[in-house]
Amino acid sequence: MFHHVTVLKEEAVEGLNVREDGVYVDCTLGGAGHSEAIAAKLTPPEGRLFALDQDDRALASARERLAPYRDAVTLVKSNFRHLESVLREAGVPLADGKPQVDGILFDLGVSSPQLDEADRGFSYNHDAELDMRMDRQQELDAKQIVNEWEEREVARIIRDYGEEKFARQIARRIAEARAKASIETTGELVEIVKSAIPAAARRTGPHPAKRTFQAIRIAVNDELEAFREALLQAIDCLKPGGRIAVITFHSLEDRICKETFAKEVPKNMSPPGFPVEIMSEGRLKLTPRKPVLPSERELEANPRARSAKLRIAEKLAKASLDE
């Protein structure tokens, strides 16, 4: 069973302002917690949810969990960077050449089963074959990155995607180790990373391999670029009055979301003291302006929610844009 504790479920679904006859997209099906909550509010055939995931296990489990809502839910195996194509192929009505839906959800956390099931190779707490692929049919995996990419490129992704200050030292130790023998397992990689980090740094903060594993996972799945592409498509594919809800778990994802939303919010361009507001063009308003954080009750029940942030934006009606 693909069991996953859904983070910020009520807040995210409430933020989408789900209508019973609306069309919605869950770009990150995972354990189907958000999808189930959305589907429960829909009345088919007008009400419809498209739920995307790359993971065959997630799709199989969701098919069982969402069986009571089968008339309202369409499951799609796809990376969310293909959002617009998925909606076109599904026959979602177009406006201005783009498919139009009422709400879109992104939950960018790695599902608990992917972290906890050793054979997926995501976790530094389980010894397993290096993998880290969300879609196990894709060619690139963690083993290739660790063993075949140039040392400076390994250092770059650990620095940029893991925000790891010891990235160069870690990449150097990886290069030294793989010159002797191929690095095959997560356990081997953990020990290499530990050996590159000073003892004092290992005694404080999170697990010493956490940032490196995060970085390699992001690189394997091209997560940041995929999200950037998908978020722009989501704004294009949203009806006026529709909403996007995005749950992020680390600063790199949240920065992309925050900056993308900010560029789309109209701003007062008038000089100081000018009697009339001159607003820049924009397609979104933030609802609310600040990110929503997990409650203390949720944090007690699920400590993995601690770093989660929920940002919600609403597509402005064309009349608002023309004012």
Side-chain angles (χ1 to χ4, degrees):
M1 182 66 179
F2 195 97
H3 177 69
H4 172 65
V5 180
T6 306
V7 175
L8 288 164
K9 179 167 69 175
E10 289 79 14
E11 294 88 342
V13 175
E14 181 182 340
L16 287 175
N17 196 24
V18 177
R19 296 188 295 105
E20 65 178 17
D21 61 347
V23 179
Y24 297 86
V25 185
D26 183 348
C27 288
T28 46
L29 172 64
H34 289 116
S35 282
E36 183 179 46
I38 294 169
K41 294 177 176 288
L42 301 177
T43 302
E46 293 82 6
R48 169 64 48 184
L49 172 68
F50 296 94
L52 283 57
D53 208 293
Q54 302 177 86
D55 192 310
D56 289 312
R57 287 192 201 176
L59 289 163
S61 178
R63 195 166 285 110
E64 293 183 22
R65 181 169 181 174
L66 299 177
Y69 311 103
R70 62 170 59 93
D71 292 338
V73 178
T74 299
L75 302 181
V76 183
K77 182 177 180 180
S78 178
N79 187 305
F80 54 48
R81 74 193 318 158
H82 306 305
L83 171 62
E84 184 177 335
S85 296
V86 167
L87 296 177
R88 284 182 182 277
E89 291 174 11
V92 172
L94 307 181
D96 297 326
K98 301 287 185 180
Q100 298 289 284
V101 300
D102 296 281
I104 301 173
L105 171 72
F106 294 89
D107 174 2
L108 301 179
V110 179
S111 294
S112 297
Q114 292 171 332
L115 290 173
D116 297 335
E117 293 175 11
D119 66 335
R120 302 305 299 270
F122 285 99
S123 177
Y124 42 79
N125 291 319
H126 303 290
D127 190 19
E129 186 174 354
L130 275 172
D131 193 326
M132 302 194 195
R133 291 173 296 174
M134 302 287 189
D135 178 357
R136 303 192 83 169
Q137 294 180 334
Q138 79 171 36
E139 291 186 9
L140 180 64
D141 61 12
K143 192 181 297 184
Q144 290 181 51
I145 290 177
V146 169
N147 288 289
E148 299 175 15
W149 285 21
E150 292 186 8
E151 179 183 333
R152 63 182 179 182
E153 185 64 6
V154 173
R156 182 192 68 80
I157 65 168
I158 295 173
R159 181 193 68 229
D160 293 351
Y161 298 164
E163 300 179 297
E164 171 61 74
K165 65 181 179 179
F166 299 109
R168 290 178 61 186
Q169 295 94 314
I170 293 169
R172 188 177 306 119
R173 290 296 176 90
I174 287 172
E176 292 169 354
R178 73 190 188 189
K180 300 174 184 175
S182 177
I183 302 166
E184 298 288 324
T185 69
T186 56
E188 291 173 45
L189 182 58
V190 167
E191 293 306 312
I192 293 166
V193 172
K194 284 182 177 179
S195 73
I197 297 178
R202 294 201 305 268
R203 287 194 290 268
T204 60
H207 190 287
K210 179 179 180 179
R211 296 185 180 92
T212 297
F213 271 61
Q214 171 185 293
I216 295 171
R217 189 202 77 223
I218 289 172
V220 167
N221 299 287
D222 195 22
E223 293 176 27
L224 298 182
E225 191 56 37
F227 174 50
R228 187 178 282 106
E229 292 175 16
L231 191 56
L232 292 173
Q233 291 177 47
I235 296 170
D236 288 340
C237 292
L238 203 63
K239 290 180 182 178
R243 293 186 174 185
I244 303 175
V246 180
I247 301 171
T248 62
F249 287 82
H250 61 73
S251 60
L252 300 174
E253 299 164 338
D254 185 58
R255 191 177 305 138
I256 291 171
C257 182
K258 181 179 179 180
E259 291 176 355
T260 301
F261 281 179
K263 289 177 182 176
E264 294 286 353
V265 173
K267 299 173 183 61
N268 183 4
M269 306 298 288
S270 306
F274 199 73
V276 179
E277 285 190 351
I278 302 173
M279 302 301 293
S280 65
E281 291 186 2
R283 296 183 290 172
L284 299 177
K285 68 175 179 180
L286 305 181
T287 56
R289 295 188 61 84
K290 298 289 186 180
V292 178
L293 304 179
S295 66
E296 286 300 321
R297 186 177 68 176
E298 179 168 10
L299 291 176
E300 289 178 10
N302 181 19
R304 284 180 176 169
R306 185 162 302 281
S307 58
K309 289 183 179 180
L310 167 64
R311 295 186 185 272
I312 305 166
E314 181 175 311
K315 186 87 168 273
L316 293 169
K318 289 188 176 181
S320 301
L321 299 176
D322 295 338
E323 290 175 356

PDB file of all heavy atoms in Angstrom, residues 19-20 22 66 77 83 87 118 130-131 141 170 179 181 183 204 212 216 224 256 269 279 282 294 302 313:
ATOM      1  N   ARG A  19     -15.352  24.093  -6.635  1.00  0.00           N
ATOM      2  CA  ARG A  19     -16.775  24.099  -7.010  1.00  0.00           C
ATOM      3  C   ARG A  19     -17.162  22.705  -7.493  1.00  0.00           C
ATOM      4  O   ARG A  19     -16.380  22.030  -8.151  1.00  0.00           O
ATOM      5  CB  ARG A  19     -17.028  25.112  -8.132  1.00  0.00           C
ATOM      6  CG  ARG A  19     -16.766  26.560  -7.730  1.00  0.00           C
ATOM      7  CD  ARG A  19     -17.223  27.530  -8.816  1.00  0.00           C
ATOM      8  NE  ARG A  19     -16.457  27.378 -10.061  1.00  0.00           N
ATOM      9  CZ  ARG A  19     -16.929  26.792 -11.154  1.00  0.00           C
ATOM     10  NH1 ARG A  19     -18.144  26.252 -11.175  1.00  0.00           N
ATOM     11  NH2 ARG A  19     -16.174  26.717 -12.246  1.00  0.00           N
ATOM     12  N   GLU A  20     -18.376  22.296  -7.226  1.00  0.00           N
ATOM     13  CA  GLU A  20     -18.790  20.925  -7.547  1.00  0.00           C
ATOM     14  C   GLU A  20     -18.776  20.639  -9.046  1.00  0.00           C
ATOM     15  O   GLU A  20     -18.618  19.495  -9.474  1.00  0.00           O
ATOM     16  CB  GLU A  20     -20.162  20.623  -6.963  1.00  0.00           C
ATOM     17  CG  GLU A  20     -21.301  21.440  -7.541  1.00  0.00           C
ATOM     18  CD  GLU A  20     -22.651  21.058  -6.958  1.00  0.00           C
ATOM     19  OE1 GLU A  20     -22.674  20.404  -5.890  1.00  0.00           O
ATOM     20  OE2 GLU A  20     -23.674  21.406  -7.565  1.00  0.00           O
ATOM     21  N   GLY A  22     -16.586  22.165 -11.167  1.00  0.00           N
ATOM     22  CA  GLY A  22     -15.326  22.683 -11.694  1.00  0.00           C
ATOM     23  C   GLY A  22     -14.404  21.580 -12.200  1.00  0.00           C
ATOM     24  O   GLY A  22     -14.607  20.391 -11.940  1.00  0.00           O
ATOM     25  N   LEU A  66      -9.237   5.958  -4.822  1.00  0.00           N
ATOM     26  CA  LEU A  66     -10.181   6.880  -5.458  1.00  0.00           C
ATOM     27  C   LEU A  66     -11.310   6.156  -6.182  1.00  0.00           C
ATOM     28  O   LEU A  66     -12.086   6.792  -6.906  1.00  0.00           O
ATOM     29  CB  LEU A  66      -9.421   7.783  -6.445  1.00  0.00           C
ATOM     30  CG  LEU A  66      -8.332   8.664  -5.822  1.00  0.00           C
ATOM     31  CD1 LEU A  66      -7.603   9.449  -6.906  1.00  0.00           C
ATOM     32  CD2 LEU A  66      -8.912   9.622  -4.778  1.00  0.00           C
ATOM     33  N   LYS A  77      -0.438   9.016 -16.057  1.00  0.00           N
ATOM     34  CA  LYS A  77       0.992   8.875 -15.790  1.00  0.00           C
ATOM     35  C   LYS A  77       1.738   9.909 -16.625  1.00  0.00           C
ATOM     36  O   LYS A  77       1.822   9.793 -17.849  1.00  0.00           O
ATOM     37  CB  LYS A  77       1.501   7.474 -16.117  1.00  0.00           C
ATOM     38  CG  LYS A  77       2.987   7.340 -15.779  1.00  0.00           C
ATOM     39  CD  LYS A  77       3.548   5.959 -15.997  1.00  0.00           C
ATOM     40  CE  LYS A  77       5.038   5.963 -15.626  1.00  0.00           C
ATOM     41  NZ  LYS A  77       5.668   4.647 -15.800  1.00  0.00           N
ATOM     42  N   LEU A  83       1.921  19.374 -18.385  1.00  0.00           N
ATOM     43  CA  LEU A  83       0.566  19.707 -17.948  1.00  0.00           C
ATOM     44  C   LEU A  83      -0.335  20.140 -19.109  1.00  0.00           C
ATOM     45  O   LEU A  83      -1.430  19.613 -19.289  1.00  0.00           O
ATOM     46  CB  LEU A  83       0.636  20.817 -16.894  1.00  0.00           C
ATOM     47  CG  LEU A  83      -0.692  21.441 -16.466  1.00  0.00           C
ATOM     48  CD1 LEU A  83      -1.602  20.395 -15.834  1.00  0.00           C
ATOM     49  CD2 LEU A  83      -0.445  22.596 -15.497  1.00  0.00           C
ATOM     50  N   LEU A  87      -3.761  18.149 -20.660  1.00  0.00           N
ATOM     51  CA  LEU A  87      -5.099  18.734 -20.699  1.00  0.00           C
ATOM     52  C   LEU A  87      -5.633  18.818 -22.129  1.00  0.00           C
ATOM     53  O   LEU A  87      -6.821  18.613 -22.376  1.00  0.00           O
ATOM     54  CB  LEU A  87      -5.088  20.112 -20.035  1.00  0.00           C
ATOM     55  CG  LEU A  87      -4.752  20.110 -18.537  1.00  0.00           C
ATOM     56  CD1 LEU A  87      -4.708  21.534 -17.997  1.00  0.00           C
ATOM     57  CD2 LEU A  87      -5.740  19.260 -17.750  1.00  0.00           C
ATOM     58  N   ALA A 118      13.029   1.112   1.068  1.00  0.00           N
ATOM     59  CA  ALA A 118      14.477   1.114   0.819  1.00  0.00           C
ATOM     60  C   ALA A 118      14.832   0.948  -0.650  1.00  0.00           C
ATOM     61  O   ALA A 118      15.803   1.527  -1.133  1.00  0.00           O
ATOM     62  CB  ALA A 118      15.133   0.013   1.645  1.00  0.00           C
ATOM     63  N   LEU A 130      21.576   2.692  -5.400  1.00  0.00           N
ATOM     64  CA  LEU A 130      21.393   4.099  -5.760  1.00  0.00           C
ATOM     65  C   LEU A 130      20.427   4.210  -6.941  1.00  0.00           C
ATOM     66  O   LEU A 130      20.679   3.647  -8.006  1.00  0.00           O
ATOM     67  CB  LEU A 130      22.735   4.734  -6.139  1.00  0.00           C
ATOM     68  CG  LEU A 130      23.593   5.273  -4.999  1.00  0.00           C
ATOM     69  CD1 LEU A 130      24.965   5.680  -5.519  1.00  0.00           C
ATOM     70  CD2 LEU A 130      22.902   6.467  -4.343  1.00  0.00           C
ATOM     71  N   ASP A 131      19.319   4.919  -6.733  1.00  0.00           N
ATOM     72  CA  ASP A 131      18.321   5.038  -7.795  1.00  0.00           C
ATOM     73  C   ASP A 131      17.760   6.456  -7.828  1.00  0.00           C
ATOM     74  O   ASP A 131      18.165   7.283  -8.605  1.00  0.00           O
ATOM     75  CB  ASP A 131      17.215   3.994  -7.584  1.00  0.00           C
ATOM     76  CG  ASP A 131      16.321   3.843  -8.801  1.00  0.00           C
ATOM     77  OD1 ASP A 131      16.082   4.859  -9.492  1.00  0.00           O
ATOM     78  OD2 ASP A 131      15.853   2.727  -9.070  1.00  0.00           O
ATOM     79  N   ASP A 141      19.669   7.781 -13.486  1.00  0.00           N
ATOM     80  CA  ASP A 141      19.441   7.509 -12.074  1.00  0.00           C
ATOM     81  C   ASP A 141      20.606   8.063 -11.259  1.00  0.00           C
ATOM     82  O   ASP A 141      21.564   8.608 -11.801  1.00  0.00           O
ATOM     83  CB  ASP A 141      19.239   6.007 -11.810  1.00  0.00           C
ATOM     84  CG  ASP A 141      20.453   5.160 -12.202  1.00  0.00           C
ATOM     85  OD1 ASP A 141      21.538   5.719 -12.458  1.00  0.00           O
ATOM     86  OD2 ASP A 141      20.307   3.929 -12.250  1.00  0.00           O
ATOM     87  N   ILE A 170      32.861  17.158  -0.764  1.00  0.00           N
ATOM     88  CA  ILE A 170      32.082  15.937  -0.977  1.00  0.00           C
ATOM     89  C   ILE A 170      32.314  15.404  -2.392  1.00  0.00           C
ATOM     90  O   ILE A 170      32.529  14.199  -2.593  1.00  0.00           O
ATOM     91  CB  ILE A 170      30.583  16.203  -0.729  1.00  0.00           C
ATOM     92  CG1 ILE A 170      30.348  16.508   0.757  1.00  0.00           C
ATOM     93  CG2 ILE A 170      29.733  15.012  -1.181  1.00  0.00           C
ATOM     94  CD1 ILE A 170      28.966  17.048   1.075  1.00  0.00           C
ATOM     95  N   ALA A 179      37.026   6.225  -8.309  1.00  0.00           N
ATOM     96  CA  ALA A 179      38.224   5.855  -9.064  1.00  0.00           C
ATOM     97  C   ALA A 179      38.728   4.472  -8.650  1.00  0.00           C
ATOM     98  O   ALA A 179      39.396   3.790  -9.433  1.00  0.00           O
ATOM     99  CB  ALA A 179      39.321   6.898  -8.855  1.00  0.00           C
ATOM    100  N   ALA A 181      36.471   2.040  -7.108  1.00  0.00           N
ATOM    101  CA  ALA A 181      35.389   1.096  -7.380  1.00  0.00           C
ATOM    102  C   ALA A 181      34.088   1.871  -7.524  1.00  0.00           C
ATOM    103  O   ALA A 181      33.892   2.907  -6.874  1.00  0.00           O
ATOM    104  CB  ALA A 181      35.256   0.071  -6.253  1.00  0.00           C
ATOM    105  N   ILE A 183      30.486   3.291  -7.060  1.00  0.00           N
ATOM    106  CA  ILE A 183      29.645   3.511  -5.880  1.00  0.00           C
ATOM    107  C   ILE A 183      28.246   2.998  -6.206  1.00  0.00           C
ATOM    108  O   ILE A 183      27.561   3.550  -7.071  1.00  0.00           O
ATOM    109  CB  ILE A 183      29.615   5.011  -5.504  1.00  0.00           C
ATOM    110  CG1 ILE A 183      31.033   5.526  -5.240  1.00  0.00           C
ATOM    111  CG2 ILE A 183      28.724   5.236  -4.280  1.00  0.00           C
ATOM    112  CD1 ILE A 183      31.144   7.033  -5.183  1.00  0.00           C
ATOM    113  N   THR A 204      26.154  18.675  14.543  1.00  0.00           N
ATOM    114  CA  THR A 204      25.042  19.618  14.663  1.00  0.00           C
ATOM    115  C   THR A 204      24.200  19.582  13.384  1.00  0.00           C
ATOM    116  O   THR A 204      24.669  19.185  12.326  1.00  0.00           O
ATOM    117  CB  THR A 204      25.541  21.055  14.895  1.00  0.00           C
ATOM    118  OG1 THR A 204      26.370  21.442  13.784  1.00  0.00           O
ATOM    119  CG2 THR A 204      26.350  21.149  16.174  1.00  0.00           C
ATOM    120  N   THR A 212      23.092  16.439   0.377  1.00  0.00           N
ATOM    121  CA  THR A 212      23.641  15.779  -0.810  1.00  0.00           C
ATOM    122  C   THR A 212      22.592  14.882  -1.459  1.00  0.00           C
ATOM    123  O   THR A 212      22.438  14.885  -2.695  1.00  0.00           O
ATOM    124  CB  THR A 212      24.886  14.957  -0.436  1.00  0.00           C
ATOM    125  OG1 THR A 212      25.900  15.842   0.045  1.00  0.00           O
ATOM    126  CG2 THR A 212      25.407  14.191  -1.640  1.00  0.00           C
ATOM    127  N   ILE A 216      21.052  15.316  -5.308  1.00  0.00           N
ATOM    128  CA  ILE A 216      21.116  14.283  -6.343  1.00  0.00           C
ATOM    129  C   ILE A 216      19.719  13.896  -6.794  1.00  0.00           C
ATOM    130  O   ILE A 216      19.465  13.709  -7.994  1.00  0.00           O
ATOM    131  CB  ILE A 216      21.906  13.060  -5.830  1.00  0.00           C
ATOM    132  CG1 ILE A 216      23.362  13.458  -5.573  1.00  0.00           C
ATOM    133  CG2 ILE A 216      21.837  11.910  -6.835  1.00  0.00           C
ATOM    134  CD1 ILE A 216      24.183  12.398  -4.865  1.00  0.00           C
ATOM    135  N   LEU A 224      13.531  21.042 -10.385  1.00  0.00           N
ATOM    136  CA  LEU A 224      13.337  22.490 -10.351  1.00  0.00           C
ATOM    137  C   LEU A 224      12.919  23.040 -11.709  1.00  0.00           C
ATOM    138  O   LEU A 224      12.008  23.871 -11.796  1.00  0.00           O
ATOM    139  CB  LEU A 224      14.604  23.180  -9.852  1.00  0.00           C
ATOM    140  CG  LEU A 224      15.036  22.809  -8.426  1.00  0.00           C
ATOM    141  CD1 LEU A 224      16.276  23.598  -8.032  1.00  0.00           C
ATOM    142  CD2 LEU A 224      13.912  23.061  -7.424  1.00  0.00           C
ATOM    143  N   ILE A 256      11.222  29.680  -6.435  1.00  0.00           N
ATOM    144  CA  ILE A 256      10.650  29.664  -7.786  1.00  0.00           C
ATOM    145  C   ILE A 256       9.184  30.083  -7.747  1.00  0.00           C
ATOM    146  O   ILE A 256       8.721  30.915  -8.539  1.00  0.00           O
ATOM    147  CB  ILE A 256      10.788  28.264  -8.413  1.00  0.00           C
ATOM    148  CG1 ILE A 256      12.257  27.964  -8.705  1.00  0.00           C
ATOM    149  CG2 ILE A 256       9.965  28.163  -9.697  1.00  0.00           C
ATOM    150  CD1 ILE A 256      12.519  26.524  -9.135  1.00  0.00           C
ATOM    151  N   MET A 269       2.974  51.434 -10.408  1.00  0.00           N
ATOM    152  CA  MET A 269       4.175  51.969 -11.032  1.00  0.00           C
ATOM    153  C   MET A 269       4.240  53.490 -10.966  1.00  0.00           C
ATOM    154  O   MET A 269       5.136  54.116 -11.545  1.00  0.00           O
ATOM    155  CB  MET A 269       4.226  51.526 -12.505  1.00  0.00           C
ATOM    156  CG  MET A 269       4.106  50.024 -12.723  1.00  0.00           C
ATOM    157  SD  MET A 269       5.454  49.100 -11.949  1.00  0.00           S
ATOM    158  CE  MET A 269       6.806  49.544 -13.060  1.00  0.00           C
ATOM    159  N   MET A 279      -0.999  50.927 -12.804  1.00  0.00           N
ATOM    160  CA  MET A 279      -0.690  49.547 -12.445  1.00  0.00           C
ATOM    161  C   MET A 279      -0.012  48.815 -13.602  1.00  0.00           C
ATOM    162  O   MET A 279      -0.378  48.975 -14.765  1.00  0.00           O
ATOM    163  CB  MET A 279      -1.972  48.796 -12.057  1.00  0.00           C
ATOM    164  CG  MET A 279      -2.734  49.432 -10.899  1.00  0.00           C
ATOM    165  SD  MET A 279      -1.731  49.561  -9.380  1.00  0.00           S
ATOM    166  CE  MET A 279      -1.549  47.818  -8.966  1.00  0.00           C
ATOM    167  N   GLY A 282      -0.490  42.238 -15.000  1.00  0.00           N
ATOM    168  CA  GLY A 282      -0.318  41.051 -14.164  1.00  0.00           C
ATOM    169  C   GLY A 282      -1.556  40.193 -14.235  1.00  0.00           C
ATOM    170  O   GLY A 282      -2.653  40.687 -14.514  1.00  0.00           O
ATOM    171  N   PRO A 294       1.953  24.965   8.385  1.00  0.00           N
ATOM    172  CA  PRO A 294       1.237  23.919   9.122  1.00  0.00           C
ATOM    173  C   PRO A 294       0.911  24.363  10.553  1.00  0.00           C
ATOM    174  O   PRO A 294       1.680  25.115  11.168  1.00  0.00           O
ATOM    175  CB  PRO A 294       2.230  22.750   9.132  1.00  0.00           C
ATOM    176  CG  PRO A 294       3.187  23.027   8.022  1.00  0.00           C
ATOM    177  CD  PRO A 294       3.282  24.514   7.927  1.00  0.00           C
ATOM    178  N   ASN A 302       2.806  15.026  12.397  1.00  0.00           N
ATOM    179  CA  ASN A 302       3.664  14.733  11.243  1.00  0.00           C
ATOM    180  C   ASN A 302       4.836  15.714  11.204  1.00  0.00           C
ATOM    181  O   ASN A 302       4.767  16.759  10.552  1.00  0.00           O
ATOM    182  CB  ASN A 302       2.848  14.830   9.942  1.00  0.00           C
ATOM    183  CG  ASN A 302       3.681  14.507   8.717  1.00  0.00           C
ATOM    184  OD1 ASN A 302       4.737  13.880   8.804  1.00  0.00           O
ATOM    185  ND2 ASN A 302       3.213  14.955   7.562  1.00  0.00           N
ATOM    186  N   ALA A 313      -2.551  31.493  -5.278  1.00  0.00           N
ATOM    187  CA  ALA A 313      -2.762  32.654  -6.142  1.00  0.00           C
ATOM    188  C   ALA A 313      -4.029  32.447  -6.955  1.00  0.00           C
ATOM    189  O   ALA A 313      -4.358  31.320  -7.338  1.00  0.00           O
ATOM    190  CB  ALA A 313      -1.570  32.869  -7.058  1.00  0.00           C
TER     191      ALA A 313
END
